[in-house]
Amino acid sequence: MKTILKTEHLNKTYRLGSFPRNVDIQALKDVNITIESDEPVIVSVVGESGSGKTTLAKVILRLVEPTAGKAIIYDQPIAGEGAKPARADFLSMVQPIFQNPFEAFSRYRTIDSYLYETATRVKRLNKARAIEAMEEVLSSVGLEYKDVRGKYPNQFSGGELQRISVARALIPNPNILVADEPVSMIDASRRMIIINLFRSLKQEYQTSILYITHDLATAYYISDYIVVMNKGSIVEFGKARQVLSDPQHAYTRLLLSSIPTLKQKWERVRND
Ligand SMILES: Nc1ncnc2c1ncn2[C@@H]1O[C@H](COP(=O)(O)OP(=O)(O)OP(=O)(O)O)[C@@H](O)[C@H]1O
């Protein structure tokens, strides 16, 4: 079995201000997660604002260095203690999808230039193969290369731009996509397109997804595993069905109770 995601005693402390008036904020407190599987998985990290979800995503994306501990993706140490892959190799393993697709692309650059750059620089494809790759990933997210070519970000809706971000992230065929609140800036009516896309891409590209969200309902809908965070610590972790049908921690129960329909659904499942 592969170690899809493992964190060992992961800690991150942000220091604000300078001595003697500095304040330490412990964003991650001894975070230990182990997910082993032969199949790709969708792991949701849920919790209220400030619980440390984004910091966890940033450590895994190597955007912040942990204060202690380490993170392993697909059997390779990628952050903290241990050997780490070079940047180019890392980008072929782990790709980000950010919250705001409008910030992911400059309004002065055509959208296809971003995809082309990823195909030629990260995946190191020649021009003809890069165009083929762009056609393939765009079609996987329900778009056509001919409709994207030469256009600028402001010619797309937020939902379309986020699908293009996902397409771009797929070009290197990464082991894992790290998506931090990927639908929160998108029109409510279009959110499920992205969520359903994650489910289908997991199979089509054999890609695992780390889905960071405060939305337990979508987490429940797509996850194989759920990690519940509160104040920098993991308070509950396990298979999604198990965590949501039989929450052990008071905080998870509180989160669940804030979504009445979901709670009723799980109570029905439990009673069947
Ligand atoms: N760059 C930073 N410098 C200082 N403190 C930070 C920094 N980034 C995050 N924090 C603090 O670390 C804690 C965890 O923040 P983090 O953004 O990881 O949580 P979150 O669960 O993702 O919240 P949200 O859902 O609001 O994004 C918070 O107290 C936050 O204020």
Side-chain angles (χ1 to χ4, degrees):
M1 278 222 273
K2 279 194 191 68
T3 299
I4 298 211
L5 169 66
K6 187 175 173 92
T7 64
E8 286 178 15
H9 305 294
L10 204 58
N11 283 273
K12 175 66 190 173
T13 304
Y14 295 104
R15 175 153 292 188
L16 296 179
S18 50
F19 184 80
R21 301 212 173 161
N22 51 306
V23 180
D24 284 352
I25 297 173
Q26 238 189 310
L28 296 178
K29 296 178 196 162
D30 202 33
V31 168
N32 294 291
I33 304 169
T34 303
I35 296 171
E36 294 175 329
S37 169
D38 286 325
E39 296 294 315
V41 293
I42 299 183
V43 182
S44 291
V45 181
V46 300
E48 280 166 1
S49 187
S51 56
K53 307 182 300 293
T54 294
T55 301
L56 179 63
K58 283 183 172 170
V59 167
I60 290 166
L61 287 167
R62 298 216 319 211
L63 297 174
V64 303
E65 185 66 21
T67 315
K70 66 175 173 182
I72 295 166
I73 295 284
Y74 277 74
D75 296 327
Q76 279 219 53
I78 51 102
E81 304 146 18
K84 285 173 240 165
R87 181 96 194 129
D89 295 333
F90 175 74
L91 289 175
S92 343
M93 288 174 63
V94 184
Q95 279 283 317
I97 295 161
F98 294 111
Q99 182 174 21
N100 188 345
F102 290 99
E103 282 176 3
F105 301 104
S106 157
R107 61 195 167 116
Y108 303 110
R109 262 181 77 180
T110 60
I111 283 292
D112 51 316
S113 72
Y114 285 90
L115 279 80
Y116 186 75
E117 189 178 272
T118 303
T120 52
R121 293 222 183 132
V122 180
K123 187 80 173 160
R124 301 192 185 101
L125 300 175
N126 64 29
K127 185 174 176 187
R129 299 274 321 278
I131 291 171
E132 272 171 29
M134 286 155 67
E135 284 168 347
E136 188 196 315
V137 291
L138 284 166
S139 133
S140 296
V141 301
L143 296 166
E144 285 194 49
Y145 176 56
K146 69 174 174 50
D147 298 330
V148 170
R149 191 178 49 199
K151 290 198 178 151
Y152 289 85
N154 64 0
Q155 294 174 275
F156 297 94
S157 69
E160 284 169 334
L161 269 190
Q162 197 59 305
R163 274 148 67 197
I164 294 168
S165 301
V166 174
R168 184 192 184 196
L170 289 170
I171 290 176
N173 219 327
N175 298 119
I176 187 160
L177 296 175
V178 178
D180 189 357
E181 301 276 9
V183 295
S184 62
M185 307 284 286
I186 291 170
D187 202 70
S189 63
R190 306 278 166 85
R191 285 183 192 159
M192 284 318 284
I193 296 175
I194 306 277
I195 297 297
N196 283 322
L197 194 59
F198 284 151
R199 290 220 311 195
S200 63
L201 294 176
K202 178 178 91 162
Q203 293 309 335
E204 192 184 338
Y205 285 82
Q206 290 291 297
T207 298
S208 291
I209 297 164
L210 187 69
Y211 172 55
I212 311 288
T213 183
H214 59 268
D215 179 10
L216 207 51
T218 53
Y220 141 74
Y221 179 66
I222 57 166
S223 307
D224 301 296
Y225 291 87
I226 288 193
V227 176
V228 184
M229 293 192 71
N230 187 23
K231 297 182 184 144
S233 299
I234 293 189
V235 293
E236 196 145 358
F237 160 62
K239 294 240 166 89
R241 194 188 166 89
Q242 180 195 329
V243 168
L244 296 181
S245 63
D246 188 18
Q248 299 297 306
H249 199 277
Y251 177 70
T252 314
R253 287 197 283 272
L254 186 71
L255 274 183
L256 268 172
S257 67
S258 64
I259 310 174
T261 48
L262 189 60
K263 185 162 175 273
Q264 281 156 18
K265 184 177 171 63
W266 278 104
E267 275 170 358
R268 273 207 310 276
V269 169
R270 202 165 38 179
N271 295 334
D272 282 348

